Structure formats: C-alpha cells, structure tokens
Amino acid sequence: MSEVVNKVTLAKETVGALVKLTTEQKNEALLVMAAALQHEAAAIIAANAEDLERGRQNGTPESMLDRLALDEHRIAGIAEGLRQIAVLPDPVGDTLETFERPNGLSVEKIRVPLGVIGIIYEARPNVTVDAAGLCLKTGNAVVLRGGSSALSSNRKIVEVLHKALATTALPPNALQLIEDPSRASVDEMLKLNGLLDVIIPRGGSSLIQNVVMNATVPVIETGAGICHTYLDADADPEMAINISLNAKAQRPSVCNSMETLIVNRDYAQAHLPALAEAFREANVELRGCPETVALVPWALPATEQDYATEYNDYILNIKIVGDLDEAMGHIERYGTKHSECIVSETTDHVARFLQEVDAAAVYHNASTRFTDGFEFGFGAEIGISTQKLHARGPMGLPALTSTKYKVYGNGQIRG
C-alpha cells in the first residue's frame, strides 16, 4: 500500500469518531494545538530554516521565500488563528430550514461534515495549520499534501499537532501529511474516489489547473489572483496612493495582491507621475501601456502576457482607460474572478462596478488585501474559492460542510 493510500485510509477510519465529538471537545483540541505550536516554536523555526536554506540554494525568489518563512511572530499569529476558530460558532448540526409536507412528513435540513478533505498546496506552511484547524472544527478528517519547498516545516508542524491531539478526544489520525514530494503523490490523490470526499487545491495556476483537469474526486477550485484596482476620474489622490500601495506592496506574494492598476485617463494626466514615484520608492517595477510609458518614462512597456500574469512579486502593470466600461472590460478579459477594487466618489460608477464585475470579492475604496478568512472574521481560511458551485470567496467553517435532510414520519408510505 502506498503512503498516500495508507494515510488517506487512516484518516477515513476516524470519520465515525469525529462525527460523535461535541463542539466543546473540538474547541478544546484546537486550543491545545495552538498552545503546542507556540511551545514548540523554536523547533518549528529550526525546521523552517532547513526549507529556507534549501530554497536559497535552489534560487527561490525572495518574495516566495517570504511566503515560506516562519518566526515567533508568525507562529503566534497562526496559533491565534486556531484560537479564533475555537470561539467561532460550530456550523455542524445547524438547522438550515424545516418544513412540513401535506402528508404529515416533517423535514429538517442540517449541516454535516464533508468527510475526508484532501488539501494540495505549495509553499505556505501556515496553510498546514489553517487547514487542520478548519477541517477538524467542522468534524472533517484532513489529508495534507504540501509542496516540497516546505516539507521540513510541515513535517515538524504535523508532528507537534499529533502530539497535542493525543491528549484530547480528537483522534490524531484525523490529520495526515503526505510526505512524498513527487508529482505522483498528487496524481494518486486525485483518483481516490471512495476515500477522499473532496480535494481543495491552493497554489499557482498550474497546480490548480492540474487538479481541476485531472481529478475524479470532486474539487473545490481556489483560483489564482490576477486582481485589479481601478482609479476613477474623481478618486481621492491620497486614498488612491494608500490603497494602491497596500494592494501591491504590503505583501506581493499572496493571491489577493494587485497585479494591474487601471487608471482613468483624466486621473492619470493629473496624478499618475506622483503615484508612479510612490511605487518606485517601494521598489515596485512598473510595466505599462503606451500612454503610461509616455507619462512615466522609466516604466517598461507591458505585453499581453504581462496582463495575464500573476507575478506574486514587486512588479505591477498599469493600464490607462477612457472610462468605467473600458476598465470593466479589461477586468473581464484578464481577471481571475478573485478580488477587484474601484476607488471612486461617483455613486453610480461604484454601484455599477460592484454589481457588474464578476469576482468573489468586489471592493469600494478599500484594498484587495482584505480578501482573507482572518480579515473577514472566519479565524482562518481553507482557501479563496473563485468558482460558483458550493462555495465562493474566503472559505471558512460553513464552506467545509454539506447538508442532509432528516425526515420524520408516523407511518407514511408513498402511493
């Protein structure tokens, strides 16, 4: 039996025990996990240092190393995410609706766990903890397959969490880590119908497309983030600079960072040179349309491929447009339906943008960086879904449940 099948089977065997746990027992386990992470922070940081050193030797860009890096502050934040999950309402067992049929049947629709969830992700070890916390809180077993670049970190984190869970009512085998870093382990997971109930990919577009195109297990697609900010003609200049810089430069390696700034032509004539200087001071390379290059001579010419690229780096496209319709057309063509923003004081423009732009999250006068489970008050997130079936946007606890109907009768039979 392969490692993948063995660990998925071990996780599946815990489903019966998980469904019997009370909310109090699950919350206690999350708090114990959080305390263990902080208690073992030094060991986790040491394991993380192995991954960072391997990444540097392999020429990994600094922006991607930032996604991988752990320190005491980040570990404390990850642990706090578990504590926030613990205090959130448990959706399992919630009654969504009840109704009576004319024949006397009483029907109740309730939330139930999905079962065994497979998470396939890349170089962010915080996902290991976020996924474990969210899945276990909702009574799901979880099988994690992280990227090879974070293998030492993930292995140590799961080891710490297993030891913590062994002191609780929650079975440790409900959390599994696939350590085989090969593509074959991913391909094997994609076909484990009957063992895995759903797969959720988190990472770049190539990983996500591989899962979506090849899985026979049901998939919840979390999409790549080619996010835009549109500066309307009457955008407040100070607000526009603050939002744009935050959306691009606060943490460019994540999926909710901005990749293209769309600027109204009149606004660009008055304000783009100053805005470009602010980006230059933040060490952001600019690539722009011909009008942009005319106003900002040090910007590089942008290509069609640039507009379709999720950089995850200190690189930003700028596109100058004539009006709102042209801006929304650009978003429709190049966006990934993740997060889109308009900075404007024109009420009807704002209303149209928020209504017509097709994305999981649309913003008025706020940075796209807020598309995040923690920022939305979910404690953490399993991913940001850009599909329209089952879940969309930051996926918190309710997104990790399904439903079933309880039907109560007193002898009815169907004629």
Side-chain angles (χ1 to χ4, degrees), residues 319-340:
K319 172 68 174 177
I320 294 176
V321 299
D323 55 24
L324 175 64
D325 286 306
E326 189 178 351
M328 292 194 296
H330 184 94
I331 292 170
E332 176 64 26
R333 179 173 181 180
Y334 296 104
T336 55
K337 305 186 188 304
H338 192 296
S339 301
E340 309 292 354

Side-chain angles (χ1 to χ4, degrees), residues 46-365:
N48 182 248
E50 298 175 10
D51 291 328
L52 291 171
E53 178 58 29
R54 189 164 57 250
R56 293 188 183 97
Q57 292 177 359
N58 292 335
T60 303
E62 283 299 319
S63 62
M64 300 307 289
L65 289 176
D66 175 66
R67 299 179 71 170
L68 174 60
L70 293 175
D71 55 25
E72 287 194 6
H73 177 72
R74 286 190 176 178
I75 291 172
I78 292 168
E80 178 59 24
L82 287 177
R83 296 187 181 100
Q84 287 201 16
I85 295 170
V87 301
L88 291 172
D90 183 356
V92 176
D94 281 355
T95 298
L96 300 179
E97 60 178 315
T98 60
F99 52 92
E100 299 285 336
R101 298 299 299 143
N103 62 5
L105 289 177
S106 176
V107 183
E108 180 184 12
K109 183 180 182 181
I110 66 168
R111 289 194 186 275
V112 295
L114 288 170
V116 184
I117 300 175
I119 313 288
I120 300 172
Y121 56 107
E122 293 177 331
R124 294 177 65 183
N126 65 293
V127 175
T128 302
V129 181
D130 291 350
L134 289 164
C135 290
L136 296 177
K137 169 84 174 197
T138 46
N140 295 291
V142 59
V143 180
L144 304 169
R145 196 288 190 180
S148 58
S149 59
L151 182 57
S152 296
S153 305
N154 291 337
R155 186 186 289 130
K156 176 55 68 173
I157 288 170
V158 171
E159 176 187 319
V160 169
L161 296 181
H162 270 168
K163 288 180 180 179
L165 288 173
T167 68
T168 75
L170 204 156
N173 278 343
L175 169 61
Q176 296 292 334
L177 175 70
I178 304 300
E179 298 186 24
D180 178 358
S182 71
R183 170 76 175 267
S185 66
V186 172
D187 294 341
E188 190 173 3
M189 288 180 71
L190 302 184
K191 309 295 184 184
L192 290 183
N193 299 71
L195 287 176
L196 284 173
D197 292 287
V198 65
I199 287 177
I200 303 173
R202 286 191 60 167
S205 58
S206 61
L207 166 67
I208 293 165
Q209 286 306 304
N210 174 49
V211 173
V212 170
M213 298 302 294
N214 295 300
T216 55
V217 174
V219 174
I220 299 176
E221 180 179 355
T222 64
I226 299 179
C227 304
H228 303 79
T229 299
Y230 171 55
L231 305 183
D232 206 1
D234 64 349
D236 178 88
E238 183 178 359
M239 181 186 295
I241 286 179
N242 291 338
I243 289 174
S244 300
L245 282 174
N246 183 264
K248 175 75 262 183
Q250 193 258 347
R251 198 174 181 191
S253 62
V254 292
C255 63
N256 56 22
S257 64
M258 172 179 61
E259 303 295 5
T260 296
L261 179 67
I262 306 173
V263 187
N264 175 276
R265 184 167 291 116
D266 292 337
Y267 187 92
Q269 291 291 333
H271 302 291
L272 184 58
L275 182 59
E277 282 304 312
F279 277 113
R280 179 149 65 174
E281 291 176 9
N283 297 313
V284 176
E285 175 186 305
L286 298 184
R287 301 178 184 182
C289 63
E291 288 183 70
T292 298
V293 175
L295 290 169
V296 185
W298 55 269
L300 301 174
T303 66
E304 287 293 304
Q305 185 58 44
D306 287 329
Y307 292 124
T309 298
E310 182 182 18
Y311 294 117
N312 294 133
D313 205 346
Y314 288 92
I315 303 170
L316 176 68
N317 305 313
I318 297 182
K319 172 68 174 177
I320 294 176
V321 299
D323 55 24
L324 175 64
D325 286 306
E326 189 178 351
M328 292 194 296
H330 184 94
I331 292 170
E332 176 64 26
R333 179 173 181 180
Y334 296 104
T336 55
K337 305 186 188 304
H338 192 296
S339 301
E340 309 292 354
C341 168
I342 181 172
V343 181
S344 175
E345 301 303 321
T346 303
T347 302
D348 63 323
H349 286 192
V350 173
R352 283 195 59 206
F353 188 94
L354 299 184
Q355 179 68 28
E356 298 176 27
V357 170
D358 185 9
V362 286
Y363 290 84
H364 172 222
N365 290 353

